[in-house]
Each structure stands twice: as C-alpha cells, then as structure tokens.
Amino acid sequence: MAKLSAIRGFRDSTGDTLERMEQVEAVSRNTLEVACYEPIRLPIVEYTEVFLKSVGPSSDIVQKEMYTFEDASSRSLTLRPEGTAGFVRAYLEHGLYKERPVSRYWYSGPMFRHERPQKGRLRQFHQVGAEAMGVSDPCLDAELITLADRILKGVGLEGFEVQVNSIGCKACRETFKQELVAFLGDRSSMLCEDCRQRSLLNPLRVFDCKICKEALDQAPVMLEHLCRECHEHFRSVKACLDAFGVKTRTNPRIVRGLDYYNRTTFEIYPEDGGAQSVLVAGGRYDGLVETMGGPPTAGIGFALGVERVAEQVLQKEKRAYRHVERSSIAVLPLGEERKPSICHVLTELWDAGISAMPVWGPQGLKAKLRFVDKRGLRYALFPSEVDRMVLKDMQAGSQSEGSSSEIDWIKARIHALRGKVEFGGDHG
Ligand code: HAM
C-alpha cells in the first residue's frame, strides 16, 4: 500500500511550533478583546460567488489559488482563501449593520490557497483577522495598524517594519490608471506575461511583481496622484499613528493583491524579510459592502499570518525557549504498590497548575530518567523509601527529598525553581 502522507502545503503542527502558534492566537485575542473587538466564527466553506464578488476576478487568489469544488447539488463551493469576504457576507446576511452601525470583530482559523508551497507559504495556513465597520475616520485606520503592532510586540517581536500607503479612492484611481497604463504600454516588451495581463485587468497590481521591478523603477505611483480628500485622509492616518506611538514607513508600492481595497493599505515586514514573509497585511475597503449587495458602508481590517509570526517568535527565542517552557515535572511511578500514591501526587500537581507528565511503563529508574532527559523535561519526581519522594533537577543535577503524602514541599520547591528559571536566567 502506498505510504499515507499529508497533502503538499498542508502542515501538521506540533511541539514548539504549535505552542508558539497558540501563543500568537492568545495574544491576538487578548489584544483585540481589550480593544473591544468581538469574536465572530465564520464557516470555512462559502459559495464561490462570495469570493468572486469580493476578492475580485483580477486577484491571483481568484485566478489561480482557490480550492473550488461542486457539492452534491452541483453548487460551486470554495474553501475560504481569506476571511474578509465571508465576514462581509455574514455582516450583510444577519443585518449586523442595522443592529450596530459601528462595530468591531475579530476571527481566527484556517485559510486555503493553492499557491506553490515554499518557506513561509503554505496551502493551509491560519490567520487572525480584525475588521472594523461603519467608520471612515482616519483614526480607525491608525487604530487597526496600532493593534497589529501591539500584537507583534505582545508576542515579543521587535525590529519589524510597518509600511503604509494609500491607493486612493475609485475617482482618483481611475485618472491615475490612465497614466499608469500609458507608462506600461511604452514598456510592454520589458514586462512579464503576468504583468501584460495585469495592465489590462488591474494595472496597479504590476507593483506586486517581483520580476518587473526594474522595468517599473520610473513608474508613476498612486500616492502622488491622490485627490484632495484621499491625501488629507492619509495625512491624518499618519498623524494619528504618530499619536499612538507607532513607527511606520511610507511605501508607495504597497498595492495589495486583493481587489477590494481603497485608500489606506499596510503591510508589516519582519526585520529581515521579503514579500514572502509579510506578517500582517490589511487596508480599508469602503466599497466592499455595497459591491456585495449592502448599503454604502466603511470598512477596514487586517489579517495576521499565525505560522509566519510563530516562526519569527521561535527564531528569536531559540536559546532561552526550551528551558523556560519545559519546566514541567516528569512523575515516575516505580513499582505497582506505589502507583496509587503517584496518582494522588499527580492530581495534586495538576490541581496546583503545575504541569506534570507521568512516565508509565515497566522500565526501571535509570531508563525512565534517560527518557526524561531526552524529552527535555526539567524535573523528575520519583519514589525513594516508603512514603518519601525525590525531586531531581535534571539540568542542575541537584535533588531534594520529602514526604509523598505531604506534597507542599514539592510545590514550594517547583515555584522557587520556576522563579529562578523565569527571572534569574538560570537556563544556560
Ligand atoms: P493577505 O495579505 O492575503 O490579506 O493575507 C494576510 C496574511 O496572511 C499575510 O500577510 C500572511 O501573513 C498570511 N498568509 C497569506 N497567504 C499565506 C500563505 N500561503 N501561507 C502562509 N501565510 C499566508 C488577507 O487575507 C486580507 N483578508 C486581510 C484583510 C482583512 N484586509 C482587510 N481585512
């Protein structure tokens, strides 16, 4: 039988990686809920037209990256490639705009894109998204960018760069497009096939191209062609970001790969990363609700790539991480007659919130200690004489002993050692 394997680009996450992903999700949730964003859970599958109408026909996602299939009633369904489309569908379907004209939501979960898998690019990946509706005030743009910045700082990252841009409104973009199309027409022979297509469908997207960078060196940029209102909006966004204390760089080439954006767009890059490593991205989408059949409604949001952020956190923490996190206790039952007291100790440790893992099995002390060492667990707790137990610090090699019925000494010892580990730099 052929060996079973996961689908290419679909990853199993375990251990350190999974712990960091969960940490990123937890910090995101705290940061967003403290800022009064409400949770919303959305389906993973939507009717295909939800994405056609929102993400847009000229985007790479719709053109080549969607997992689309027919259900038993021949309806075309798509695994969600991103969260905003489904969010706006729900916002409209449930009349949330009538209930509360100004609202803020957050969501998280898996997304699916049939891209070529490579470092930082998966076919199933996870996002945390935030969407704020009903306010066109530029301070809301700054609020969202600030929250994304706070999440990244909250998980311990620094040195990342927040890049902002404005791609204008429908009106000023139309005039600009003509100028850009004329520029691209003159250089058609220097453009790749994709960009020749883009200059017909959605010319701004040529700035996303890695191949044509040189050909576009002298290209006009939208930021210099904003109408008065869009110019003023962008100026206010930046002033408000200053007030929030968020450092940004204006990059006139951030156009974003989805069709629904207007005015503010932004991307957050890690310290040493290229386009494949964008950690968070988003922007304003004031026309989207209307395009999808609702009343004119302002909207803005972002999504954070959980795997990409978790990877950055892991890279930064490589040295200290294992010892801090692996401060759990391995509890070693030795001999049938000691098992009941071990079960008692285990439940007491768990009740006290101390992470403890029993090492069941017939092996003797030496073999069990070898296992503990290999697993990188910090402590081992095992019976010695009748009614007594030993707590061994696997890293320092030291040990202490106490009664097995009276386990407060273990808790006190663990708390003392943990304090040292977390605050005293006890880990080499
Ligand atoms: P996006 O730029 O397509 O925007 O994706 C947002 C983030 O998801 C990226 O910055 C990246 O961290 C992560 N991501 C995207 N594709 C992959 C992949 N193939 N593998 C791993 N991570 C990936 C959106 O999805 C918009 N819905 C954001 C938004 C919300 N705009 C307004 N509201």
Side-chain angles (χ1 to χ4, degrees), residues 82 84 113 115 122 127 131 256 260-261 278-279 301 305:
E82 58 101 54
T84 311
R113 294 184 195 174
E115 295 187 86
L122 294 157
Q127 284 186 344
E131 315 284 354
R256 312 282 303 119
Y260 50 62
Y261 292 111
V278 177
L279 303 173

Side-chain angles (χ1 to χ4, degrees), residues 61 81-84 107 113 115 120-123 125 127 130-131 256 258 260-261 278-283 285 300-305 307-308:
I61 291 184
E82 58 101 54
T84 311
Y107 51 84
R113 294 184 195 174
E115 295 187 86
R121 202 205 268 160
L122 294 157
R123 287 179 171 173
F125 57 97
Q127 284 186 344
E131 315 284 354
R256 312 282 303 119
L258 302 95
Y260 50 62
Y261 292 111
V278 177
L279 303 173
V280 183
Y285 49 83
I300 176 164
F302 69 74
L304 168 152
E307 283 85 354
R308 289 189 190 174

Side-chain angles (χ1 to χ4, degrees), residues 9 48 84 87 89 112 150 167 223 239 246-247 288 356 373 405:
T48 303
T84 311
F87 165 75
R89 192 266 313 135
F112 305 85
R150 285 174 71 84
I167 56 167
L223 196 59
V246 176
K247 279 203 199 86
L288 181 58
D373 201 33
S405 48

Side-chain angles (χ1 to χ4, degrees), residues 322-395:
R322 287 204 77 78
H323 298 297
V324 175
E325 288 305 311
R326 298 276 180 251
S327 55
S328 335
I329 310 181
V331 180
L332 317 181
L334 299 168
E336 279 306 306
E337 71 289 355
R338 301 297 293 273
K339 274 190 178 163
S341 67
I342 286 289
C343 292
H344 170 73
V345 168
L346 261 175
T347 49
E348 289 238 5
L349 291 173
W350 289 337
D351 284 349
I354 297 174
S355 68
M357 176 205 278
V359 184
W360 306 116
Q363 302 83 358
L365 180 60
K366 258 194 181 161
K368 285 191 172 170
L369 284 176
R370 262 203 308 277
F371 167 83
V372 176
D373 201 33
K374 245 182 156 168
R375 276 297 301 259
L377 296 168
R378 178 74 194 262
Y379 311 104
L381 181 68
F382 50 88
S384 52
E385 304 152 33
V386 182
D387 286 335
R388 294 194 70 72
M389 302 204 78
V390 170
L391 179 68
K392 185 177 165 86
D393 182 333
M394 300 298 290
Q395 197 178 310

